[in-house]
Every structure is written in structure tokens, then in C-alpha cells.
Amino acid sequence: MFKINDNYLKLPGSYLFSTIAKKVNAFQAENPDKTVIRLGIGDVTQPLAPVIIDALHSAVDEMGKAETFHGYAPDLGYEFLRTAIAKNDYADRGCEIAADEIFVSDGAKCDSGNIQEIFSVDNKIAVCDPVYPVYVDTNVMAGRTGTYDPKTEMWSDVIYMPCTAETNFAPELPKETPDLIYLCFPNNPTGATITKAQLQEWVDYANKVGAVIIYDAAYEAYISEADVPHTIYECEGARTCAIELKSFSKNAGFTGTRLGYTVIPKDLKCGDVMLHSLWARRHGTKYNGAPYIQQRAGEAVYTPEGKEQLAKQVAYYMNNAKVIKEGLQEAGYTVSGGVNAPYIWLKTPSGMTSWEFFDYLLANANVVGTPGSGFGPSGEGYFRLTAFGTYENTLAALDRIKRM
């Protein structure tokens, strides 16, 4: 008789955004006359930039000719894209990352979930609280998190690093020593950031205790303040302790096109074993590479035209963030985020729980957001709104909220 991986049965409920989708679909079925505005999931709404569309069309044409057709992609990704990434995202920032230390994939979500496979199940993870649910859930699936306590909504073998208003929604170094540390800056869901000096403390700590930092930099393009690092490799010593995850979804609108990459420096080792080699083995065995068409589109992101066009899209979303933040503040809400990230983190009013406010907002304003408790126990009493909607819908949502 076959057996299942019963770690999946330990997961409470369904994935956060699946739960939200079910609740919204049920509301719309009962209220077909209502127009719902979605400011919950972090999905972009602006079309792909013209230079990216041109690159996609050109690559599609190549695939229609025998002399320019491409089959399986190289394991790590095409040289043209990895070279562009190494130059623009790292060398131009003074960071030492080689093209062959970059692994191209179909998105940072997959990589953030799969990266734990190269580590022993005995490793102890530390996560910010609140945090992107994929980090914890995929470690649950692997059997690394112990038992779940429904009362505290915490796992026995996970080190939680509370990110509260008192800490400016940034984590403090944990008292218990972890093996794997998940950090995300600019942060999802709170929109918080830390300075380069603060990030250097984490790098120094990881090297001191022998931990690996898994650094999610998916929202790097939205940084506007000078002292906020764009990559962990701006910090001295990061090559011996950090893995970085990056995405084309938020900076270039590839949520439906799918492209991302992971950086594992060859200096990052467990004894004599390079983690780079382990991830390369996993990549080559389980993955056939992001499509050539998408990788040519990714290359266009780094052209002068691509940088100019995408800067305008980022500015569009950050203007939405400004509108949401200022509008909520005018309405009397306690708000943070929205400066270096396209997320607004607000305190729920009148002592409501996160899910109570979700239901209240949906019923009375027909606006969808994300309950903070879905990101971890310290997210209770908070709520996330995204700036990725259209400008018109953003204005309409704020007007509805103010009239509640």
C-alpha cells in the first residue's frame, strides 16, 4: 500500500491567497451586482513594457525558423541573460557576482520554496513574523518545522523573529541560534526596510554562527531611499553566508510571463561542499530551464529602453502606494510601508481581527485586501493593501474606504 507525505496534513487550512480567492468568489456569487476592487494579491496590472513585447515577438519569430530555433535551455540559463544580470544587478553596484553563480528560473516563488531541498531536515529555520507564507509552508512540507499549535499559530521548531511597530517592523537578531535565516527586504507584507549597516549586522551574525541567509530581494526595484541596500552582496562577507532570490515579476510585470533567478556564490560552503554545486545538481535534475522566449524578454529589461520604461511603471505603482497611504492616514488609520515597497501595512480599526476587517472591508466597501494574520501571528491586528492595482481602481477603493 502506498504512503503519502503526511507533512502536508500538518498544514493548517489552505494557502493564504487560495483562501482569499474562495471568500471573494463566494461574495461575488451572492452579490453579482457588486463590483469588487482587488488590492489583495500582489499581482501587477500594467501591460508589459514595449521593449519587452518587441523582444518576445522577436524571440517567437526565431522559434519559427530552423536556423534560429531553440530547444532545451542550458541548466543555469542562457549566457546572454546571466551576463546581463551579473553586470546590471551586481557589477554596476560594486558587487562581485559571476554569471555562472546565477541560476535562471521561472520565478522567485518556486526558488524560495525549493531552495530548502539542498539542506538537511535537521536544520532549524528562523523567519520574520509576519512573513511571506511560502517560506514556512514549504519547510512544513519537508518535515522541518515540528508541531503546530493552533492557539499560538506557531510551529515548535521554527524560530520566529517578531517584526512589530516597536521594532519598525524589522527583525532583531534571534536569541536561539538558527541554521537558515529567511530575510525579505523591502519586506512583504509590511513594506519595511533596513539600512545597509543593519543588513551588515545580519551578515556578520550569520558568518559568526555558521548560518545561511536566504535573502528575498523581489521588491528591490521599488527602493527609493539612499541607505537601503539593493542586494545583500553589498555587504562584506555575504558571499560566504547568503543566497539571494530575485524576480522579474514586480520590477518588469512578469507575474504571468514567469522569470526569476537565484544567486549562490561559490564561496558559500558546508565544509568542503559548495552549495552552488548542490543547487546546480538539483536544477539539472528537476528543472528544464525557463523558456528561451522569456529569457530574451528578461534580457530586454536591462537595455537602456527597458530601464527607462520600467522606471515609469515602478513610479506608477509607487504613486498608487502614496495615494493609498495618504488617503488612509487622512481617514484616521495607522499606516506604514509604501515608501520603498508597493505594500501598505495598516492597523485594523476598532480592535477588529485581521479576518474580521477583511470581511468588513469586502462587505461594506467591496474592496479586497490581505489579513495580516495570514502572514504569521505577529500580523494579527494588521492588514495589507497592494499598490499594484490601476490608478483608477486605487482612487475608487480609497473613496469607498473613506465612506465606510
Side-chain angles (χ1 to χ4, degrees):
M1 180 64 181
F2 68 88
K3 298 179 181 179
I4 61 169
N5 178 355
D6 58 9
N7 289 311
Y8 278 70
L9 302 180
K10 299 176 184 177
L11 289 163
S14 60
Y15 183 58
L16 171 61
F17 296 105
S18 299
T19 301
I20 290 172
K22 290 175 183 177
K23 290 175 77 72
V24 174
N25 290 339
F27 176 83
Q28 289 188 303
E30 295 173 2
N31 302 274
D33 58 321
K34 304 290 186 182
T35 302
V36 173
I37 298 176
R38 299 172 185 262
L39 299 182
I41 193 169
D43 195 2
V44 296
T45 54
Q46 294 302 291
L48 294 173
V51 68
I52 294 171
I53 293 296
D54 290 343
L56 287 168
H57 282 304
S58 178
V60 168
D61 290 340
E62 287 185 59
M63 297 296 279
K65 301 173 185 176
E67 59 272 21
T68 54
F69 173 79
H70 289 78
Y72 289 125
D75 284 354
L76 274 67
Y78 283 99
E79 183 70 25
F80 61 79
L81 178 57
R82 290 186 290 118
T83 298
I85 292 169
K87 178 186 183 301
N88 289 275
D89 288 349
Y90 296 102
D92 287 357
R93 297 191 183 281
C95 303
E96 181 191 353
I97 294 295
D100 67 355
E101 294 176 317
I102 296 166
F103 296 79
V104 177
S105 70
D106 59 355
K109 178 180 181 179
C110 298
D111 286 353
S112 67
N114 293 330
I115 194 68
Q116 51 80 26
E117 288 187 25
I118 65 173
F119 297 99
S120 167
V121 72
D122 297 331
N123 284 297
K124 195 150 195 175
I125 69 167
V127 297
C128 296
D129 174 30
V131 74
Y132 183 44
V134 171
Y135 308 153
V136 174
D137 286 1
T138 52
N139 277 282
V140 174
M141 294 170 179
R144 194 175 283 114
T145 56
T147 57
Y148 182 71
D149 185 342
K151 293 181 179 179
T152 62
E153 298 182 332
M154 301 172 93
W155 294 89
S156 61
D157 291 344
V158 173
I159 300 170
Y160 291 87
M161 303 181 292
C163 301
T164 64
E166 290 70 31
T167 65
N168 292 318
F169 299 105
E172 297 178 336
L173 295 176
K175 293 180 176 61
E176 183 181 356
T177 304
D179 302 300
L180 307 177
I181 303 168
Y182 286 81
L183 295 179
C184 174
F185 292 107
N187 185 257
N188 175 19
T190 66
T193 55
I194 57 176
T195 66
K196 182 178 178 180
Q198 289 174 309
L199 185 56
Q200 184 67 58
E201 290 181 11
W202 282 96
V203 170
D204 293 343
Y205 171 79
N207 278 317
K208 178 182 177 181
V209 302
V212 173
I213 297 173
I214 300 172
Y215 192 77
D216 187 344
Y219 299 93
E220 167 271 326
Y222 293 86
I223 294 171
S224 62
E225 295 180 321
D227 196 30
V228 177
H230 288 256
T231 165
I232 196 169
Y233 300 114
E234 292 180 35
C235 296
E236 184 179 351
R239 285 184 55 87
T240 57
C241 70
I243 294 171
E244 185 161 276
L245 313 173
K246 294 289 287 291
S247 170
F248 287 79
S249 289
K250 313 303 182 183
N251 68 324
F254 278 40
T255 53
T257 308
R258 306 310 306 152
L259 194 65
Y261 66 86
T262 290
V263 176
I264 305 186
K266 293 180 180 179
D267 296 343
L268 180 51
K269 298 179 180 180
C270 178
D272 295 328
V273 179
M274 292 193 303
L275 269 59
H276 180 280
S277 299
L278 298 183
W279 188 241
R281 186 68 171 88
R282 192 262 175 207
H283 220 57
T285 301
K286 291 191 173 185
Y287 187 61
N288 271 334
Y292 172 77
I293 295 167
Q294 273 89 326
Q295 294 197 46
R296 279 298 184 191
E299 181 188 31
V301 167
Y302 297 104
T303 63
E305 299 86 356
K307 292 178 181 178
E308 180 182 359
Q309 292 170 13
L310 294 178
K312 291 179 180 178
Q313 285 198 355
V314 167
Y316 177 92
Y317 292 128
M318 289 311 292
N319 183 59
N320 285 351
K322 181 181 178 182
V323 167
I324 296 171
K325 185 172 186 177
E326 292 181 352
L328 289 174
Q329 287 174 332
E330 290 172 5
Y333 288 86
T334 300
V335 186
S336 61
V339 176
N340 296 294
Y343 293 124
I344 307 299
W345 189 243
L346 64 112
K347 191 168 180 59
T348 56
S350 306
M352 289 185 186
T353 67
S354 298
W355 279 107
E356 286 172 348
F357 186 66
F358 174 91
D359 293 333
Y360 179 77
L361 193 65
L362 181 58
N364 293 279
N366 309 144
V367 172
V368 178
T370 309
S373 61
F375 297 101
S378 290
E380 182 55 88
Y382 287 89
F383 202 77
R384 192 193 76 175
L385 291 175
T386 171
F388 284 125
T390 65
Y391 178 66
E392 294 75 16
N393 277 349
T394 299
L395 289 178
L398 261 293
D399 181 63
R400 293 182 187 182
I401 292 171
K402 287 180 178 179
R403 290 191 281 109
M404 284 197 307

